[in-house]
Amino acid sequence: MGSVPYRQLAGFYFFYFAYIGAFAPFFGVYLAAAGLSPVEIGVVMALPQVTRIFAPHLWGWLADASGRHVRMVRITALAGLLCWLGLFASTAFLWICAMILATGFFLSSALPLVEATTLTHLGENTGRYGAIRLWGSIGYIVAVVGVGYALDFFVVDTLLWIVLASLLGTLAFAWWVPEAASAPHASDLQPIAGVLKRPEVLALIVACALMAAAHGPYYAFFSIHLVDHGYSKAVTGWLWALGVICEIAIFLWLPRRTIDAAGRPTVIETHGRHDPCVGIRATPICEAMMALTLMDHALRHRAQNADVACATPRIPAQAPDAVIEKLRAAAAVENPDPDEA
């Protein structure tokens, strides 16, 4: 993607959302196995959302003040990883609350700051955002399905190690992402009260609040509900992944830069109706495309090598031994005199 650090950003999104894919669906299962009550599980799972009310503003203000957004991501990702290590020490309710609160406080800054960095790197080429952010959805699917299978074969404490590995990957790619020089905006010094009074901002806040409220019990108790009803953790992981698979299709619909038949730059954008029946059509479509591709190669080969001939010598066929013996016996009866034969 030219000067855009595609691999670094894609790697960060992959591991960060792998952390989300391991933590959000299965940490409630871990807490239930640790003996926490439903009320305690609800409190613990609400703590990361509590930190997102104020922590991103603090880290964003510090990042803007220093002008080093990625450096702030590195610092907070390292601090969050160290706080996560505290969960290995105890399963007491208050201790878990303290560690999750601290982890959420630091990690809540990572995604907003990296989103801003990604868009700054992209500049006017925002159509490429979907191709980068797509790796976050892939990381989530890999994590949620992989953790589901892992917890079917290993103890539930394995989840702590998987999340730790995801946070290590997030920290590694955060160290690899370069800073982006952001140009000042005319609205940077606008009072926050004026921004909050804008109708579109209020509508966005209300929509996000309703979405968060709807997802609260879903994230906290859906996996516990499935496991209690006899579903394996692998199936639970696949059910979580199903929604994110649909999310990938949304990113593929985003506008993309390409060229037309004459080689002129243009933008391709998907419009129209796209329904689930594509899953049924996928097999014959792929088979037909493969057949067309093979036929195209065959015709190209014929056009390029029409005058090339390869004389293959005739190879005499070898009859089975039983047939040869019958032929010899028949020849001996018809020609009893070898000289005449």
Side-chain angles (χ1 to χ4, degrees):
M1 287 194 174
S3 61
V4 178
Y6 175 84
R7 292 183 179 86
Q8 296 94 316
L9 293 169
F12 177 89
Y13 281 113
F14 180 91
F15 280 102
Y16 181 84
F17 281 96
Y19 148 67
I20 298 296
F23 174 81
F26 292 107
F27 195 66
V29 177
Y30 167 80
L31 295 176
L36 272 65
S37 68
V39 174
E40 292 173 333
I41 293 173
V43 170
V44 172
M45 297 302 291
L47 291 176
Q49 304 302 324
V50 172
T51 63
R52 291 176 184 175
I53 296 175
F54 59 91
H57 305 288
L58 171 63
W59 299 123
W61 176 76
L62 292 174
D64 287 340
S66 64
R68 304 290 296 276
H69 290 187
V70 177
R71 182 175 68 175
M72 191 60 62
V73 173
R74 296 166 184 165
I75 293 172
T76 55
L78 177 59
L81 186 149
L82 294 176
C83 293
W84 181 263
L85 290 174
L87 290 171
F88 289 87
S90 173
T91 56
F93 170 64
L94 292 179
W95 179 259
I96 291 177
C97 286
M99 293 301 101
I100 292 299
L101 187 65
T103 302
F105 174 75
F106 290 110
L107 292 181
S108 61
S109 72
L111 186 60
L113 291 176
V114 170
E115 292 275 53
T117 301
T118 300
L119 293 174
T120 303
H121 276 299
L122 290 173
E124 296 180 357
N125 300 322
T126 53
R128 295 180 175 182
Y129 171 79
I132 298 175
R133 177 58 179 78
L134 172 68
W135 287 97
S137 300
I138 295 174
Y140 186 98
I141 294 171
V142 170
V144 74
V145 174
V147 171
Y149 281 104
L151 296 186
D152 275 340
F153 290 96
F154 303 102
V155 295
V156 72
D157 293 358
T158 307
L159 176 67
L160 299 181
W161 292 100
I162 296 174
V163 172
L164 179 62
S166 300
L167 291 177
L168 284 172
T170 302
L171 179 61
F173 276 94
W175 234 271
W176 196 16
V177 173
E179 290 281 0
S182 56
H185 300 85
S187 60
D188 286 346
L189 301 179
Q190 185 177 353
I192 187 65
V195 176
L196 294 177
K197 291 178 180 179
R198 293 166 57 181
E200 62 271 25
V201 175
L202 289 174
L204 178 62
I205 292 174
V206 171
C208 291
L210 293 174
M211 183 182 68
H215 281 73
Y218 176 65
Y219 278 117
F221 297 107
F222 183 61
S223 295
I224 299 175
H225 171 77
L226 293 176
V227 172
D228 287 345
H229 281 75
Y231 291 92
S232 69
K233 297 179 180 67
V235 172
T236 301
W238 276 110
L239 291 174
W240 277 89
L242 183 61
V244 183
I245 292 173
C246 298
E247 179 183 282
I248 291 178
I250 301 299
F251 288 119
L252 294 177
W253 290 345
L254 293 177
R256 294 173 180 270
R257 298 181 65 184
T258 182
I259 58 174
D260 59 17
R264 295 184 296 266
T266 185
V267 175
I268 183 171
E269 187 173 1
T270 304
H271 294 280
R273 176 173 169 268
H274 304 274
D275 48 35
C277 65
V278 68
I280 303 173
R281 300 196 305 265
T283 300
I285 290 173
C286 291
E287 290 179 350
M289 290 303 299
M290 178 60 73
L292 290 172
T293 302
L294 293 175
M295 179 58 70
D296 180 63
H297 281 285
L299 293 174
R300 286 174 179 268
H301 177 79
R302 181 178 179 182
Q304 294 174 357
N305 304 284
D307 297 329
V308 177
C310 179
T312 304
R314 292 186 177 183
I315 302 174
Q318 178 66 46
D321 293 340
V323 175
I324 294 175
E325 292 298 331
K326 289 182 179 179
L327 292 174
R328 288 178 178 173
V333 172
E334 295 176 359
N335 303 290
D337 189 349
D339 297 331
E340 295 181 2

PDB file of all heavy atoms in Angstrom, residues 124-156:
ATOM      1  N   GLU A 124      -6.048  10.629   2.206  1.00  0.00           N
ATOM      2  CA  GLU A 124      -7.241  10.653   1.369  1.00  0.00           C
ATOM      3  C   GLU A 124      -7.631   9.264   0.869  1.00  0.00           C
ATOM      4  O   GLU A 124      -8.705   9.096   0.296  1.00  0.00           O
ATOM      5  CB  GLU A 124      -7.015  11.577   0.170  1.00  0.00           C
ATOM      6  CG  GLU A 124      -6.795  13.039   0.566  1.00  0.00           C
ATOM      7  CD  GLU A 124      -6.580  13.927  -0.646  1.00  0.00           C
ATOM      8  OE1 GLU A 124      -6.544  13.382  -1.771  1.00  0.00           O
ATOM      9  OE2 GLU A 124      -6.462  15.151  -0.472  1.00  0.00           O
ATOM     10  N   ASN A 125      -6.782   8.272   1.081  1.00  0.00           N
ATOM     11  CA  ASN A 125      -7.067   6.918   0.591  1.00  0.00           C
ATOM     12  C   ASN A 125      -7.818   6.110   1.643  1.00  0.00           C
ATOM     13  O   ASN A 125      -7.427   4.989   1.999  1.00  0.00           O
ATOM     14  CB  ASN A 125      -5.757   6.211   0.219  1.00  0.00           C
ATOM     15  CG  ASN A 125      -5.000   6.936  -0.861  1.00  0.00           C
ATOM     16  OD1 ASN A 125      -5.599   7.468  -1.795  1.00  0.00           O
ATOM     17  ND2 ASN A 125      -3.680   6.982  -0.746  1.00  0.00           N
ATOM     18  N   THR A 126      -8.892   6.658   2.162  1.00  0.00           N
ATOM     19  CA  THR A 126      -9.624   5.975   3.220  1.00  0.00           C
ATOM     20  C   THR A 126     -10.304   4.699   2.729  1.00  0.00           C
ATOM     21  O   THR A 126     -10.721   3.873   3.540  1.00  0.00           O
ATOM     22  CB  THR A 126     -10.684   6.919   3.817  1.00  0.00           C
ATOM     23  OG1 THR A 126     -11.506   7.440   2.756  1.00  0.00           O
ATOM     24  CG2 THR A 126     -10.017   8.071   4.553  1.00  0.00           C
ATOM     25  N   GLY A 127     -10.422   4.530   1.415  1.00  0.00           N
ATOM     26  CA  GLY A 127     -11.004   3.293   0.894  1.00  0.00           C
ATOM     27  C   GLY A 127     -10.176   2.072   1.229  1.00  0.00           C
ATOM     28  O   GLY A 127     -10.686   0.941   1.194  1.00  0.00           O
ATOM     29  N   ARG A 128      -8.913   2.279   1.605  1.00  0.00           N
ATOM     30  CA  ARG A 128      -8.054   1.154   1.963  1.00  0.00           C
ATOM     31  C   ARG A 128      -8.233   0.710   3.416  1.00  0.00           C
ATOM     32  O   ARG A 128      -7.658  -0.284   3.833  1.00  0.00           O
ATOM     33  CB  ARG A 128      -6.584   1.538   1.744  1.00  0.00           C
ATOM     34  CG  ARG A 128      -6.217   1.804   0.292  1.00  0.00           C
ATOM     35  CD  ARG A 128      -4.759   2.167   0.177  1.00  0.00           C
ATOM     36  NE  ARG A 128      -4.328   2.307  -1.204  1.00  0.00           N
ATOM     37  CZ  ARG A 128      -3.081   2.589  -1.568  1.00  0.00           C
ATOM     38  NH1 ARG A 128      -2.165   2.764  -0.632  1.00  0.00           N
ATOM     39  NH2 ARG A 128      -2.763   2.693  -2.837  1.00  0.00           N
ATOM     40  N   TYR A 129      -9.001   1.484   4.170  1.00  0.00           N
ATOM     41  CA  TYR A 129      -9.166   1.146   5.587  1.00  0.00           C
ATOM     42  C   TYR A 129      -9.747  -0.254   5.762  1.00  0.00           C
ATOM     43  O   TYR A 129      -9.311  -1.009   6.634  1.00  0.00           O
ATOM     44  CB  TYR A 129     -10.076   2.182   6.255  1.00  0.00           C
ATOM     45  CG  TYR A 129     -10.473   1.806   7.660  1.00  0.00           C
ATOM     46  CD1 TYR A 129      -9.595   1.989   8.721  1.00  0.00           C
ATOM     47  CD2 TYR A 129     -11.720   1.253   7.921  1.00  0.00           C
ATOM     48  CE1 TYR A 129      -9.956   1.640  10.005  1.00  0.00           C
ATOM     49  CE2 TYR A 129     -12.093   0.902   9.201  1.00  0.00           C
ATOM     50  CZ  TYR A 129     -11.216   1.096  10.249  1.00  0.00           C
ATOM     51  OH  TYR A 129     -11.573   0.736  11.515  1.00  0.00           O
ATOM     52  N   GLY A 130     -10.737  -0.609   4.947  1.00  0.00           N
ATOM     53  CA  GLY A 130     -11.375  -1.911   5.090  1.00  0.00           C
ATOM     54  C   GLY A 130     -10.400  -3.058   4.926  1.00  0.00           C
ATOM     55  O   GLY A 130     -10.490  -4.068   5.639  1.00  0.00           O
ATOM     56  N   ALA A 131      -9.439  -2.931   4.001  1.00  0.00           N
ATOM     57  CA  ALA A 131      -8.471  -4.000   3.776  1.00  0.00           C
ATOM     58  C   ALA A 131      -7.551  -4.178   4.975  1.00  0.00           C
ATOM     59  O   ALA A 131      -7.044  -5.285   5.217  1.00  0.00           O
ATOM     60  CB  ALA A 131      -7.648  -3.704   2.525  1.00  0.00           C
ATOM     61  N   ILE A 132      -7.310  -3.097   5.741  1.00  0.00           N
ATOM     62  CA  ILE A 132      -6.479  -3.195   6.943  1.00  0.00           C
ATOM     63  C   ILE A 132      -7.300  -3.704   8.118  1.00  0.00           C
ATOM     64  O   ILE A 132      -6.908  -4.642   8.816  1.00  0.00           O
ATOM     65  CB  ILE A 132      -5.855  -1.824   7.272  1.00  0.00           C
ATOM     66  CG1 ILE A 132      -4.951  -1.361   6.130  1.00  0.00           C
ATOM     67  CG2 ILE A 132      -5.070  -1.885   8.563  1.00  0.00           C
ATOM     68  CD1 ILE A 132      -4.379   0.031   6.319  1.00  0.00           C
ATOM     69  N   ARG A 133      -8.445  -3.093   8.326  1.00  0.00           N
ATOM     70  CA  ARG A 133      -9.299  -3.464   9.466  1.00  0.00           C
ATOM     71  C   ARG A 133      -9.831  -4.884   9.341  1.00  0.00           C
ATOM     72  O   ARG A 133     -10.165  -5.529  10.341  1.00  0.00           O
ATOM     73  CB  ARG A 133     -10.439  -2.453   9.541  1.00  0.00           C
ATOM     74  CG  ARG A 133     -11.470  -2.711  10.604  1.00  0.00           C
ATOM     75  CD  ARG A 133     -10.892  -2.769  12.003  1.00  0.00           C
ATOM     76  NE  ARG A 133     -11.971  -2.989  12.949  1.00  0.00           N
ATOM     77  CZ  ARG A 133     -12.535  -4.183  13.158  1.00  0.00           C
ATOM     78  NH1 ARG A 133     -12.085  -5.253  12.508  1.00  0.00           N
ATOM     79  NH2 ARG A 133     -13.526  -4.294  14.025  1.00  0.00           N
ATOM     80  N   LEU A 134      -9.877  -5.396   8.121  1.00  0.00           N
ATOM     81  CA  LEU A 134     -10.327  -6.764   7.889  1.00  0.00           C
ATOM     82  C   LEU A 134      -9.538  -7.765   8.716  1.00  0.00           C
ATOM     83  O   LEU A 134     -10.070  -8.772   9.203  1.00  0.00           O
ATOM     84  CB  LEU A 134     -10.184  -7.092   6.398  1.00  0.00           C
ATOM     85  CG  LEU A 134     -10.427  -8.537   5.960  1.00  0.00           C
ATOM     86  CD1 LEU A 134     -11.881  -8.897   6.137  1.00  0.00           C
ATOM     87  CD2 LEU A 134     -10.018  -8.727   4.512  1.00  0.00           C
ATOM     88  N   TRP A 135      -8.236  -7.481   8.932  1.00  0.00           N
ATOM     89  CA  TRP A 135      -7.398  -8.416   9.685  1.00  0.00           C
ATOM     90  C   TRP A 135      -7.796  -8.488  11.156  1.00  0.00           C
ATOM     91  O   TRP A 135      -7.535  -9.485  11.828  1.00  0.00           O
ATOM     92  CB  TRP A 135      -5.935  -8.034   9.529  1.00  0.00           C
ATOM     93  CG  TRP A 135      -5.440  -8.371   8.169  1.00  0.00           C
ATOM     94  CD1 TRP A 135      -5.339  -7.544   7.086  1.00  0.00           C
ATOM     95  CD2 TRP A 135      -5.026  -9.666   7.718  1.00  0.00           C
ATOM     96  NE1 TRP A 135      -4.877  -8.244   5.996  1.00  0.00           N
ATOM     97  CE2 TRP A 135      -4.679  -9.543   6.353  1.00  0.00           C
ATOM     98  CE3 TRP A 135      -4.907 -10.905   8.334  1.00  0.00           C
ATOM     99  CZ2 TRP A 135      -4.217 -10.620   5.607  1.00  0.00           C
ATOM    100  CZ3 TRP A 135      -4.455 -11.980   7.593  1.00  0.00           C
ATOM    101  CH2 TRP A 135      -4.117 -11.829   6.245  1.00  0.00           C
ATOM    102  N   GLY A 136      -8.436  -7.444  11.658  1.00  0.00           N
ATOM    103  CA  GLY A 136      -8.960  -7.527  13.012  1.00  0.00           C
ATOM    104  C   GLY A 136     -10.069  -8.554  13.121  1.00  0.00           C
ATOM    105  O   GLY A 136     -10.117  -9.344  14.070  1.00  0.00           O
ATOM    106  N   SER A 137     -10.962  -8.562  12.141  1.00  0.00           N
ATOM    107  CA  SER A 137     -12.039  -9.560  12.140  1.00  0.00           C
ATOM    108  C   SER A 137     -11.475 -10.968  11.999  1.00  0.00           C
ATOM    109  O   SER A 137     -11.960 -11.910  12.637  1.00  0.00           O
ATOM    110  CB  SER A 137     -13.013  -9.259  11.000  1.00  0.00           C
ATOM    111  OG  SER A 137     -13.593  -7.980  11.153  1.00  0.00           O
ATOM    112  N   ILE A 138     -10.449 -11.120  11.163  1.00  0.00           N
ATOM    113  CA  ILE A 138      -9.828 -12.434  11.005  1.00  0.00           C
ATOM    114  C   ILE A 138      -9.198 -12.878  12.318  1.00  0.00           C
ATOM    115  O   ILE A 138      -9.322 -14.044  12.736  1.00  0.00           O
ATOM    116  CB  ILE A 138      -8.786 -12.398   9.878  1.00  0.00           C
ATOM    117  CG1 ILE A 138      -9.473 -12.136   8.529  1.00  0.00           C
ATOM    118  CG2 ILE A 138      -7.984 -13.697   9.820  1.00  0.00           C
ATOM    119  CD1 ILE A 138      -8.515 -11.929   7.376  1.00  0.00           C
ATOM    120  N   GLY A 139      -8.502 -11.956  13.003  1.00  0.00           N
ATOM    121  CA  GLY A 139      -7.905 -12.296  14.284  1.00  0.00           C
ATOM    122  C   GLY A 139      -8.948 -12.707  15.303  1.00  0.00           C
ATOM    123  O   GLY A 139      -8.735 -13.654  16.080  1.00  0.00           O
ATOM    124  N   TYR A 140     -10.079 -12.013  15.316  1.00  0.00           N
ATOM    125  CA  TYR A 140     -11.158 -12.363  16.242  1.00  0.00           C
ATOM    126  C   TYR A 140     -11.667 -13.773  15.966  1.00  0.00           C
ATOM    127  O   TYR A 140     -11.845 -14.577  16.884  1.00  0.00           O
ATOM    128  CB  TYR A 140     -12.284 -11.349  16.113  1.00  0.00           C
ATOM    129  CG  TYR A 140     -13.393 -11.530  17.118  1.00  0.00           C
ATOM    130  CD1 TYR A 140     -13.430 -10.772  18.276  1.00  0.00           C
ATOM    131  CD2 TYR A 140     -14.412 -12.463  16.906  1.00  0.00           C
ATOM    132  CE1 TYR A 140     -14.459 -10.928  19.203  1.00  0.00           C
ATOM    133  CE2 TYR A 140     -15.429 -12.637  17.829  1.00  0.00           C
ATOM    134  CZ  TYR A 140     -15.455 -11.862  18.976  1.00  0.00           C
ATOM    135  OH  TYR A 140     -16.460 -12.038  19.888  1.00  0.00           O
ATOM    136  N   ILE A 141     -11.904 -14.081  14.688  1.00  0.00           N
ATOM    137  CA  ILE A 141     -12.427 -15.410  14.336  1.00  0.00           C
ATOM    138  C   ILE A 141     -11.431 -16.498  14.707  1.00  0.00           C
ATOM    139  O   ILE A 141     -11.796 -17.529  15.292  1.00  0.00           O
ATOM    140  CB  ILE A 141     -12.756 -15.459  12.832  1.00  0.00           C
ATOM    141  CG1 ILE A 141     -13.916 -14.516  12.515  1.00  0.00           C
ATOM    142  CG2 ILE A 141     -13.087 -16.881  12.395  1.00  0.00           C
ATOM    143  CD1 ILE A 141     -14.183 -14.337  11.041  1.00  0.00           C
ATOM    144  N   VAL A 142     -10.165 -16.288  14.376  1.00  0.00           N
ATOM    145  CA  VAL A 142      -9.138 -17.284  14.705  1.00  0.00           C
ATOM    146  C   VAL A 142      -9.088 -17.515  16.210  1.00  0.00           C
ATOM    147  O   VAL A 142      -9.016 -18.659  16.686  1.00  0.00           O
ATOM    148  CB  VAL A 142      -7.766 -16.824  14.176  1.00  0.00           C
ATOM    149  CG1 VAL A 142      -6.649 -17.723  14.714  1.00  0.00           C
ATOM    150  CG2 VAL A 142      -7.751 -16.842  12.653  1.00  0.00           C
ATOM    151  N   ALA A 143      -9.153 -16.430  16.981  1.00  0.00           N
ATOM    152  CA  ALA A 143      -9.050 -16.557  18.436  1.00  0.00           C
ATOM    153  C   ALA A 143     -10.278 -17.228  19.033  1.00  0.00           C
ATOM    154  O   ALA A 143     -10.156 -18.165  19.840  1.00  0.00           O
ATOM    155  CB  ALA A 143      -8.843 -15.183  19.060  1.00  0.00           C
ATOM    156  N   VAL A 144     -11.474 -16.772  18.656  1.00  0.00           N
ATOM    157  CA  VAL A 144     -12.671 -17.293  19.303  1.00  0.00           C
ATOM    158  C   VAL A 144     -12.889 -18.764  18.960  1.00  0.00           C
ATOM    159  O   VAL A 144     -13.314 -19.561  19.810  1.00  0.00           O
ATOM    160  CB  VAL A 144     -13.903 -16.432  18.943  1.00  0.00           C
ATOM    161  CG1 VAL A 144     -14.364 -16.669  17.516  1.00  0.00           C
ATOM    162  CG2 VAL A 144     -15.038 -16.683  19.912  1.00  0.00           C
ATOM    163  N   VAL A 145     -12.573 -19.156  17.721  1.00  0.00           N
ATOM    164  CA  VAL A 145     -12.711 -20.565  17.357  1.00  0.00           C
ATOM    165  C   VAL A 145     -11.582 -21.388  17.984  1.00  0.00           C
ATOM    166  O   VAL A 145     -11.804 -22.480  18.548  1.00  0.00           O
ATOM    167  CB  VAL A 145     -12.706 -20.721  15.821  1.00  0.00           C
ATOM    168  CG1 VAL A 145     -12.695 -22.197  15.434  1.00  0.00           C
ATOM    169  CG2 VAL A 145     -13.933 -20.036  15.224  1.00  0.00           C
ATOM    170  N   GLY A 146     -10.352 -20.880  17.933  1.00  0.00           N
ATOM    171  CA  GLY A 146      -9.222 -21.605  18.507  1.00  0.00           C
ATOM    172  C   GLY A 146      -9.345 -21.789  20.001  1.00  0.00           C
ATOM    173  O   GLY A 146      -9.059 -22.874  20.531  1.00  0.00           O
ATOM    174  N   VAL A 147      -9.786 -20.744  20.702  1.00  0.00           N
ATOM    175  CA  VAL A 147      -9.954 -20.864  22.152  1.00  0.00           C
ATOM    176  C   VAL A 147     -11.048 -21.867  22.478  1.00  0.00           C
ATOM    177  O   VAL A 147     -10.930 -22.652  23.432  1.00  0.00           O
ATOM    178  CB  VAL A 147     -10.275 -19.485  22.765  1.00  0.00           C
ATOM    179  CG1 VAL A 147     -10.681 -19.620  24.230  1.00  0.00           C
ATOM    180  CG2 VAL A 147      -9.067 -18.572  22.660  1.00  0.00           C
ATOM    181  N   GLY A 148     -12.115 -21.871  21.687  1.00  0.00           N
ATOM    182  CA  GLY A 148     -13.178 -22.838  21.931  1.00  0.00           C
ATOM    183  C   GLY A 148     -12.681 -24.268  21.871  1.00  0.00           C
ATOM    184  O   GLY A 148     -12.958 -25.082  22.762  1.00  0.00           O
ATOM    185  N   TYR A 149     -11.908 -24.582  20.832  1.00  0.00           N
ATOM    186  CA  TYR A 149     -11.345 -25.937  20.730  1.00  0.00           C
ATOM    187  C   TYR A 149     -10.342 -26.194  21.847  1.00  0.00           C
ATOM    188  O   TYR A 149     -10.288 -27.302  22.408  1.00  0.00           O
ATOM    189  CB  TYR A 149     -10.683 -26.124  19.371  1.00  0.00           C
ATOM    190  CG  TYR A 149     -11.653 -26.411  18.247  1.00  0.00           C
ATOM    191  CD1 TYR A 149     -11.986 -25.433  17.319  1.00  0.00           C
ATOM    192  CD2 TYR A 149     -12.243 -27.664  18.122  1.00  0.00           C
ATOM    193  CE1 TYR A 149     -12.880 -25.688  16.289  1.00  0.00           C
ATOM    194  CE2 TYR A 149     -13.140 -27.938  17.097  1.00  0.00           C
ATOM    195  CZ  TYR A 149     -13.458 -26.944  16.184  1.00  0.00           C
ATOM    196  OH  TYR A 149     -14.348 -27.205  15.176  1.00  0.00           O
ATOM    197  N   ALA A 150      -9.531 -25.186  22.183  1.00  0.00           N
ATOM    198  CA  ALA A 150      -8.512 -25.375  23.218  1.00  0.00           C
ATOM    199  C   ALA A 150      -9.145 -25.680  24.569  1.00  0.00           C
ATOM    200  O   ALA A 150      -8.674 -26.562  25.305  1.00  0.00           O
ATOM    201  CB  ALA A 150      -7.630 -24.132  23.315  1.00  0.00           C
ATOM    202  N   LEU A 151     -10.222 -24.981  24.903  1.00  0.00           N
ATOM    203  CA  LEU A 151     -10.851 -25.193  26.209  1.00  0.00           C
ATOM    204  C   LEU A 151     -11.618 -26.506  26.280  1.00  0.00           C
ATOM    205  O   LEU A 151     -11.965 -26.960  27.377  1.00  0.00           O
ATOM    206  CB  LEU A 151     -11.778 -24.024  26.535  1.00  0.00           C
ATOM    207  CG  LEU A 151     -11.100 -22.656  26.694  1.00  0.00           C
ATOM    208  CD1 LEU A 151     -12.103 -21.614  27.151  1.00  0.00           C
ATOM    209  CD2 LEU A 151      -9.925 -22.736  27.649  1.00  0.00           C
ATOM    210  N   ASP A 152     -11.890 -27.118  25.137  1.00  0.00           N
ATOM    211  CA  ASP A 152     -12.485 -28.458  25.151  1.00  0.00           C
ATOM    212  C   ASP A 152     -11.453 -29.520  25.500  1.00  0.00           C
ATOM    213  O   ASP A 152     -11.816 -30.626  25.947  1.00  0.00           O
ATOM    214  CB  ASP A 152     -13.105 -28.773  23.786  1.00  0.00           C
ATOM    215  CG  ASP A 152     -14.529 -28.239  23.671  1.00  0.00           C
ATOM    216  OD1 ASP A 152     -15.154 -27.988  24.717  1.00  0.00           O
ATOM    217  OD2 ASP A 152     -15.002 -28.069  22.535  1.00  0.00           O
ATOM    218  N   PHE A 153     -10.167 -29.219  25.288  1.00  0.00           N
ATOM    219  CA  PHE A 153      -9.115 -30.207  25.521  1.00  0.00           C
ATOM    220  C   PHE A 153      -8.244 -29.877  26.737  1.00  0.00           C
ATOM    221  O   PHE A 153      -7.605 -30.771  27.292  1.00  0.00           O
ATOM    222  CB  PHE A 153      -8.213 -30.327  24.288  1.00  0.00           C
ATOM    223  CG  PHE A 153      -8.883 -30.980  23.105  1.00  0.00           C
ATOM    224  CD1 PHE A 153      -9.464 -30.220  22.103  1.00  0.00           C
ATOM    225  CD2 PHE A 153      -8.970 -32.357  23.008  1.00  0.00           C
ATOM    226  CE1 PHE A 153     -10.087 -30.817  21.022  1.00  0.00           C
ATOM    227  CE2 PHE A 153      -9.586 -32.968  21.927  1.00  0.00           C
ATOM    228  CZ  PHE A 153     -10.156 -32.192  20.935  1.00  0.00           C
ATOM    229  N   PHE A 154      -8.209 -28.608  27.135  1.00  0.00           N
ATOM    230  CA  PHE A 154      -7.355 -28.205  28.246  1.00  0.00           C
ATOM    231  C   PHE A 154      -8.198 -27.543  29.329  1.00  0.00           C
ATOM    232  O   PHE A 154      -9.366 -27.218  29.118  1.00  0.00           O
ATOM    233  CB  PHE A 154      -6.257 -27.244  27.765  1.00  0.00           C
ATOM    234  CG  PHE A 154      -5.395 -27.806  26.672  1.00  0.00           C
ATOM    235  CD1 PHE A 154      -5.591 -27.424  25.351  1.00  0.00           C
ATOM    236  CD2 PHE A 154      -4.394 -28.728  26.957  1.00  0.00           C
ATOM    237  CE1 PHE A 154      -4.804 -27.939  24.343  1.00  0.00           C
ATOM    238  CE2 PHE A 154      -3.603 -29.246  25.948  1.00  0.00           C
ATOM    239  CZ  PHE A 154      -3.804 -28.858  24.648  1.00  0.00           C
ATOM    240  N   VAL A 155      -7.577 -27.331  30.486  1.00  0.00           N
ATOM    241  CA  VAL A 155      -8.290 -26.697  31.590  1.00  0.00           C
ATOM    242  C   VAL A 155      -8.616 -25.254  31.212  1.00  0.00           C
ATOM    243  O   VAL A 155      -7.956 -24.636  30.369  1.00  0.00           O
ATOM    244  CB  VAL A 155      -7.440 -26.740  32.876  1.00  0.00           C
ATOM    245  CG1 VAL A 155      -7.250 -28.183  33.331  1.00  0.00           C
ATOM    246  CG2 VAL A 155      -6.096 -26.070  32.667  1.00  0.00           C
ATOM    247  N   VAL A 156      -9.631 -24.704  31.867  1.00  0.00           N
ATOM    248  CA  VAL A 156     -10.105 -23.376  31.501  1.00  0.00           C
ATOM    249  C   VAL A 156      -9.066 -22.301  31.819  1.00  0.00           C
ATOM    250  O   VAL A 156      -9.093 -21.207  31.237  1.00  0.00           O
ATOM    251  CB  VAL A 156     -11.439 -23.088  32.229  1.00  0.00           C
ATOM    252  CG1 VAL A 156     -11.206 -22.852  33.719  1.00  0.00           C
ATOM    253  CG2 VAL A 156     -12.171 -21.905  31.596  1.00  0.00           C
TER     254      VAL A 156
END
